[in-house]
Amino acid sequence: MNEKIRQLKGNLVVSCQAFPHEPLHSPFIMSRMALAAMEGGAYGIRANSPEDIREIRTQVSLPIIGSTKRDYQDSLVHITPTMREIEELMAVRPEIIALDATGVPRPGGISLDNFFHTAKEKYPHQLWMADCSTVEEALHADSLDFDFVATTLVGYTRQSLGLRIEDKDFAILREIVAKSVHPVIAAGNIDTPQKARRAIDLGAYCVIVGSTITKPQVLTKLFTDAL
């Protein structure tokens, strides 16, 4: 683990991601979001797609957690679902590659275990992060030797429907931290500074925050709903 990755410990990673249906979808805009995040004190960036990563790298020197989200008809997995996305990401070499580690079959019916074994065998020096939605998924990813285990998908999958990362004082995070060998990253619905601080205090390696910082439409709706 290099010095940049070690410096993530106890600090903030900002997710700079916008998708085709969103108003800020643009590698240029995401690169400026990343620059603003760095100026605000972020220690890392999460980004989607090789195009965004290339542009972000022109503006910041922070470590990048990269993924590529793509939909396939025969699978619900869309975060770095196949080796095609891995190859695309390896062309720009993010410091960490994130992928869906929920255990849902990938396109072609490929299991997480087989997919990750193939990716890790081909790129043994790459760092990998598991996006998980339950304690069981996180601990399984930990046993597969992911370098980082993250709570990114808590509340976003069928098996975690209705859950939130902060439920019962971050009970899911606390259990994963207590039982995992690898560092645990708090992500998903970390939408206040207080939640971010609490996650670190409970043992998270670092915290990823996205929509609350980089999606103005989400912030605007908080105000318009209140009015």
Side-chain angles (χ1 to χ4, degrees), residues 9 16 21 35 67 72 102 115 117 136 159 183 197 210 223:
K9 186 174 175 61
C16 299
H21 66 282
L35 179 59
S67 61
Y72 288 83
T102 61
F115 176 73
H117 175 76
E136 293 74 21
Q159 59 271 29
R197 178 71 261 171
F223 284 89

PDB file of all heavy atoms in Angstrom, residues 9 16 21 35 67 72 102 115 117 136 159 183 197 210 223:
ATOM      1  N   LYS A   9      -6.391   7.203   5.507  1.00  0.00           N
ATOM      2  CA  LYS A   9      -6.848   6.773   6.831  1.00  0.00           C
ATOM      3  C   LYS A   9      -7.322   7.958   7.667  1.00  0.00           C
ATOM      4  O   LYS A   9      -6.604   8.935   7.878  1.00  0.00           O
ATOM      5  CB  LYS A   9      -5.728   6.029   7.569  1.00  0.00           C
ATOM      6  CG  LYS A   9      -6.162   5.431   8.902  1.00  0.00           C
ATOM      7  CD  LYS A   9      -5.065   4.582   9.500  1.00  0.00           C
ATOM      8  CE  LYS A   9      -5.431   4.079  10.889  1.00  0.00           C
ATOM      9  NZ  LYS A   9      -6.643   3.243  10.868  1.00  0.00           N
ATOM     10  N   CYS A  16     -17.093  11.954  -7.013  1.00  0.00           N
ATOM     11  CA  CYS A  16     -17.415  12.883  -8.098  1.00  0.00           C
ATOM     12  C   CYS A  16     -17.935  12.064  -9.270  1.00  0.00           C
ATOM     13  O   CYS A  16     -17.183  11.680 -10.173  1.00  0.00           O
ATOM     14  CB  CYS A  16     -16.178  13.677  -8.501  1.00  0.00           C
ATOM     15  SG  CYS A  16     -15.476  14.689  -7.176  1.00  0.00           S
ATOM     16  N   HIS A  21     -28.153  10.766 -17.276  1.00  0.00           N
ATOM     17  CA  HIS A  21     -29.443  11.423 -17.036  1.00  0.00           C
ATOM     18  C   HIS A  21     -29.325  12.614 -16.090  1.00  0.00           C
ATOM     19  O   HIS A  21     -30.332  13.281 -15.815  1.00  0.00           O
ATOM     20  CB  HIS A  21     -30.440  10.413 -16.461  1.00  0.00           C
ATOM     21  CG  HIS A  21     -30.070   9.913 -15.091  1.00  0.00           C
ATOM     22  ND1 HIS A  21     -29.111   8.958 -14.887  1.00  0.00           N
ATOM     23  CD2 HIS A  21     -30.527  10.265 -13.853  1.00  0.00           C
ATOM     24  CE1 HIS A  21     -28.995   8.723 -13.591  1.00  0.00           C
ATOM     25  NE2 HIS A  21     -29.845   9.506 -12.943  1.00  0.00           N
ATOM     26  N   LEU A  35     -11.318  18.960  -8.251  1.00  0.00           N
ATOM     27  CA  LEU A  35     -10.427  20.051  -7.849  1.00  0.00           C
ATOM     28  C   LEU A  35     -11.000  20.807  -6.658  1.00  0.00           C
ATOM     29  O   LEU A  35     -10.287  21.121  -5.697  1.00  0.00           O
ATOM     30  CB  LEU A  35     -10.202  20.994  -9.028  1.00  0.00           C
ATOM     31  CG  LEU A  35      -9.311  22.213  -8.768  1.00  0.00           C
ATOM     32  CD1 LEU A  35      -7.918  21.787  -8.314  1.00  0.00           C
ATOM     33  CD2 LEU A  35      -9.230  23.091 -10.025  1.00  0.00           C
ATOM     34  N   SER A  67     -14.444   3.102 -10.789  1.00  0.00           N
ATOM     35  CA  SER A  67     -15.351   2.027 -11.206  1.00  0.00           C
ATOM     36  C   SER A  67     -15.965   2.436 -12.527  1.00  0.00           C
ATOM     37  O   SER A  67     -15.848   3.595 -12.949  1.00  0.00           O
ATOM     38  CB  SER A  67     -16.446   1.782 -10.162  1.00  0.00           C
ATOM     39  OG  SER A  67     -17.242   2.946  -9.986  1.00  0.00           O
ATOM     40  N   TYR A  72     -26.288  -4.579 -17.899  1.00  0.00           N
ATOM     41  CA  TYR A  72     -26.403  -5.740 -18.771  1.00  0.00           C
ATOM     42  C   TYR A  72     -27.781  -6.358 -18.542  1.00  0.00           C
ATOM     43  O   TYR A  72     -28.281  -6.374 -17.414  1.00  0.00           O
ATOM     44  CB  TYR A  72     -25.311  -6.763 -18.460  1.00  0.00           C
ATOM     45  CG  TYR A  72     -23.921  -6.328 -18.904  1.00  0.00           C
ATOM     46  CD1 TYR A  72     -23.142  -5.488 -18.101  1.00  0.00           C
ATOM     47  CD2 TYR A  72     -23.382  -6.764 -20.107  1.00  0.00           C
ATOM     48  CE1 TYR A  72     -21.867  -5.098 -18.503  1.00  0.00           C
ATOM     49  CE2 TYR A  72     -22.116  -6.387 -20.510  1.00  0.00           C
ATOM     50  CZ  TYR A  72     -21.360  -5.548 -19.709  1.00  0.00           C
ATOM     51  OH  TYR A  72     -20.093  -5.164 -20.104  1.00  0.00           O
ATOM     52  N   THR A 102     -21.773  -7.920  -4.026  1.00  0.00           N
ATOM     53  CA  THR A 102     -22.979  -8.341  -3.318  1.00  0.00           C
ATOM     54  C   THR A 102     -23.255  -9.829  -3.435  1.00  0.00           C
ATOM     55  O   THR A 102     -24.118 -10.352  -2.746  1.00  0.00           O
ATOM     56  CB  THR A 102     -24.213  -7.586  -3.850  1.00  0.00           C
ATOM     57  OG1 THR A 102     -24.391  -7.868  -5.236  1.00  0.00           O
ATOM     58  CG2 THR A 102     -24.062  -6.086  -3.644  1.00  0.00           C
ATOM     59  N   PHE A 115     -15.206 -14.373 -10.666  1.00  0.00           N
ATOM     60  CA  PHE A 115     -14.846 -13.113 -11.320  1.00  0.00           C
ATOM     61  C   PHE A 115     -13.654 -12.449 -10.632  1.00  0.00           C
ATOM     62  O   PHE A 115     -12.687 -12.042 -11.286  1.00  0.00           O
ATOM     63  CB  PHE A 115     -16.046 -12.162 -11.311  1.00  0.00           C
ATOM     64  CG  PHE A 115     -15.752 -10.807 -11.872  1.00  0.00           C
ATOM     65  CD1 PHE A 115     -15.588 -10.622 -13.243  1.00  0.00           C
ATOM     66  CD2 PHE A 115     -15.634  -9.701 -11.040  1.00  0.00           C
ATOM     67  CE1 PHE A 115     -15.315  -9.366 -13.769  1.00  0.00           C
ATOM     68  CE2 PHE A 115     -15.358  -8.452 -11.555  1.00  0.00           C
ATOM     69  CZ  PHE A 115     -15.201  -8.280 -12.920  1.00  0.00           C
ATOM     70  N   HIS A 117     -11.426 -13.792  -8.660  1.00  0.00           N
ATOM     71  CA  HIS A 117     -10.226 -14.611  -8.809  1.00  0.00           C
ATOM     72  C   HIS A 117      -9.550 -14.319 -10.151  1.00  0.00           C
ATOM     73  O   HIS A 117      -8.319 -14.157 -10.216  1.00  0.00           O
ATOM     74  CB  HIS A 117     -10.580 -16.094  -8.712  1.00  0.00           C
ATOM     75  CG  HIS A 117      -9.422 -17.001  -8.968  1.00  0.00           C
ATOM     76  ND1 HIS A 117      -8.417 -17.225  -8.045  1.00  0.00           N
ATOM     77  CD2 HIS A 117      -9.081 -17.729 -10.079  1.00  0.00           C
ATOM     78  CE1 HIS A 117      -7.518 -18.046  -8.551  1.00  0.00           C
ATOM     79  NE2 HIS A 117      -7.894 -18.367  -9.789  1.00  0.00           N
ATOM     80  N   GLU A 136     -22.955  -9.892   5.798  1.00  0.00           N
ATOM     81  CA  GLU A 136     -22.528 -11.176   5.238  1.00  0.00           C
ATOM     82  C   GLU A 136     -21.732 -10.975   3.954  1.00  0.00           C
ATOM     83  O   GLU A 136     -20.700 -11.633   3.738  1.00  0.00           O
ATOM     84  CB  GLU A 136     -23.749 -12.061   4.972  1.00  0.00           C
ATOM     85  CG  GLU A 136     -24.483 -12.522   6.225  1.00  0.00           C
ATOM     86  CD  GLU A 136     -25.311 -11.425   6.893  1.00  0.00           C
ATOM     87  OE1 GLU A 136     -25.666 -10.427   6.212  1.00  0.00           O
ATOM     88  OE2 GLU A 136     -25.610 -11.555   8.107  1.00  0.00           O
ATOM     89  N   GLN A 159     -31.635  -7.275  -0.944  1.00  0.00           N
ATOM     90  CA  GLN A 159     -31.326  -7.920   0.332  1.00  0.00           C
ATOM     91  C   GLN A 159     -31.058  -6.924   1.458  1.00  0.00           C
ATOM     92  O   GLN A 159     -30.999  -7.311   2.622  1.00  0.00           O
ATOM     93  CB  GLN A 159     -30.130  -8.887   0.178  1.00  0.00           C
ATOM     94  CG  GLN A 159     -28.838  -8.255  -0.308  1.00  0.00           C
ATOM     95  CD  GLN A 159     -28.706  -8.229  -1.820  1.00  0.00           C
ATOM     96  OE1 GLN A 159     -29.684  -8.168  -2.541  1.00  0.00           O
ATOM     97  NE2 GLN A 159     -27.475  -8.306  -2.310  1.00  0.00           N
ATOM     98  N   PRO A 183      -9.194  -3.278   5.828  1.00  0.00           N
ATOM     99  CA  PRO A 183      -9.784  -1.988   6.191  1.00  0.00           C
ATOM    100  C   PRO A 183     -11.204  -1.844   5.651  1.00  0.00           C
ATOM    101  O   PRO A 183     -11.510  -2.292   4.542  1.00  0.00           O
ATOM    102  CB  PRO A 183      -8.842  -0.974   5.531  1.00  0.00           C
ATOM    103  CG  PRO A 183      -7.560  -1.699   5.323  1.00  0.00           C
ATOM    104  CD  PRO A 183      -7.936  -3.123   5.073  1.00  0.00           C
ATOM    105  N   ARG A 197     -17.910  11.811  10.885  1.00  0.00           N
ATOM    106  CA  ARG A 197     -17.068  11.770  12.084  1.00  0.00           C
ATOM    107  C   ARG A 197     -17.348  10.509  12.901  1.00  0.00           C
ATOM    108  O   ARG A 197     -16.416   9.855  13.399  1.00  0.00           O
ATOM    109  CB  ARG A 197     -17.353  13.009  12.928  1.00  0.00           C
ATOM    110  CG  ARG A 197     -16.601  13.120  14.252  1.00  0.00           C
ATOM    111  CD  ARG A 197     -15.127  13.411  14.044  1.00  0.00           C
ATOM    112  NE  ARG A 197     -14.325  12.209  14.147  1.00  0.00           N
ATOM    113  CZ  ARG A 197     -13.024  12.167  13.843  1.00  0.00           C
ATOM    114  NH1 ARG A 197     -12.406  13.237  13.389  1.00  0.00           N
ATOM    115  NH2 ARG A 197     -12.359  11.056  13.966  1.00  0.00           N
ATOM    116  N   GLY A 210     -20.701  11.552  -1.324  1.00  0.00           N
ATOM    117  CA  GLY A 210     -20.960  11.918  -2.710  1.00  0.00           C
ATOM    118  C   GLY A 210     -22.018  12.966  -2.882  1.00  0.00           C
ATOM    119  O   GLY A 210     -21.735  14.159  -2.926  1.00  0.00           O
ATOM    120  N   PHE A 223     -33.793  21.938   0.213  1.00  0.00           N
ATOM    121  CA  PHE A 223     -34.337  23.243   0.518  1.00  0.00           C
ATOM    122  C   PHE A 223     -35.757  23.398  -0.019  1.00  0.00           C
ATOM    123  O   PHE A 223     -36.645  23.927   0.676  1.00  0.00           O
ATOM    124  CB  PHE A 223     -33.425  24.322  -0.069  1.00  0.00           C
ATOM    125  CG  PHE A 223     -32.167  24.549   0.718  1.00  0.00           C
ATOM    126  CD1 PHE A 223     -31.026  23.809   0.451  1.00  0.00           C
ATOM    127  CD2 PHE A 223     -32.118  25.508   1.726  1.00  0.00           C
ATOM    128  CE1 PHE A 223     -29.866  23.995   1.180  1.00  0.00           C
ATOM    129  CE2 PHE A 223     -30.969  25.706   2.463  1.00  0.00           C
ATOM    130  CZ  PHE A 223     -29.828  24.950   2.191  1.00  0.00           C
TER     131      PHE A 223
END
